[in-house]
Amino acid sequence: METGPSEEPSGRKESQEICPPGLLVFAGSSEQDANLAKQFWISASMYPPSESQLVLRRDSSQRLPVARPRRSRGSENSNSQSSHLVSNKNRNIFAEALKIQESEEKVKYLQKAKTREEILQLLRKQREERISKELISLPYKPKTKEHKAKKVVSESDKEDQEEVKALD
């Protein structure tokens, strides 16, 4: 199989439907074998479905038209005043909602701080009770003697120490 412009024996180029020109050339094959091979390769090639190809037709467009507001000059003033009132109203509603949200968060944080303070106070109280109980029971606890451990020096350590002293 060779690549290059293909021509039939009659001198005219093959039609675009069977194979694009210049893609397939069958040299040394009979005309029937060449046509069968072309049909095979055309059917074996995987063309994308027509739905996935981005081709605009005359009756189709890619974007929807944008809706533009139509205004008449007489209604422009009343329309701008009403939109101004609506925007102010929206701002007021938004500001109120923001204030309510902030106050709720503040209450929530104050509640957390209060519970934290209660927990710390309870811990302090428990610590003081524990210390007072320890102080009450302190005179009745047995006194622990500190044991001084005698150093047991092995004979090999003694010999090592004597050798070091002898070196000095």
Side-chain angles (χ1 to χ4, degrees):
M1 181 172 18
E2 298 175 2
T3 59
S6 61
E7 293 189 16
E8 290 186 3
S10 62
R12 61 183 166 92
K13 292 199 172 202
E14 295 178 342
S15 66
Q16 294 277 345
E17 295 174 8
I18 295 176
C19 180
L23 293 180
L24 298 174
V25 174
F26 298 95
S29 300
S30 67
E31 188 177 333
Q32 184 180 9
D33 289 342
N35 285 334
L36 289 173
K38 287 177 189 177
Q39 287 177 359
F40 169 76
W41 284 111
I42 289 171
S43 66
S45 65
M46 304 272 298
Y47 292 110
S50 61
E51 295 88 21
S52 68
Q53 293 181 354
L54 297 175
V55 178
L56 287 178
R57 295 184 178 91
R58 290 181 185 169
D59 60 343
S60 68
S61 64
Q62 287 185 329
R63 294 187 180 195
L64 294 173
V66 177
R68 294 194 170 103
R70 296 181 183 177
R71 294 184 180 174
S72 64
R73 292 183 184 171
S75 65
E76 216 172 275
N77 291 337
S78 64
N79 216 6
S80 65
Q81 288 175 354
S82 64
S83 66
H84 184 61
L85 291 174
V86 169
S87 65
N88 281 343
K89 187 175 181 181
N90 287 342
R91 286 182 193 153
N92 290 340
I93 291 172
F94 181 71
E96 276 186 49
L98 189 61
K99 286 179 184 178
I100 291 170
Q101 184 178 5
E102 287 174 355
S103 65
E104 287 174 354
E105 288 177 5
K106 187 177 180 181
V107 167
K108 182 174 135 181
Y109 289 128
L110 289 174
Q111 184 67 29
K112 281 185 179 182
K114 186 178 178 183
T115 56
R116 183 173 159 244
E117 201 57 43
E118 289 174 356
I119 291 171
L120 289 174
Q121 189 178 13
L122 180 65
L123 289 173
R124 282 189 210 106
K125 182 181 174 186
Q126 289 175 348
R127 181 176 180 262
E128 288 173 4
E129 288 175 357
R130 188 179 65 244
I131 290 173
S132 66
K133 287 179 182 178
E134 286 177 4
L135 289 175
I136 292 171
S137 66
L138 187 64
Y140 302 104
K141 280 187 178 178
K143 296 181 180 177
T144 58
K145 294 181 181 178
E146 294 183 22
H147 297 285
K148 293 183 180 178
K150 293 182 180 178
K151 290 186 178 179
V152 178
V153 181
S154 66
E155 290 180 24
S156 63
D157 288 341
K158 286 181 184 177
E159 291 174 4
D160 290 340
Q161 288 176 359
E162 288 175 5
E163 289 176 0
V164 171
K165 285 182 183 177
L167 289 175
D168 289 337

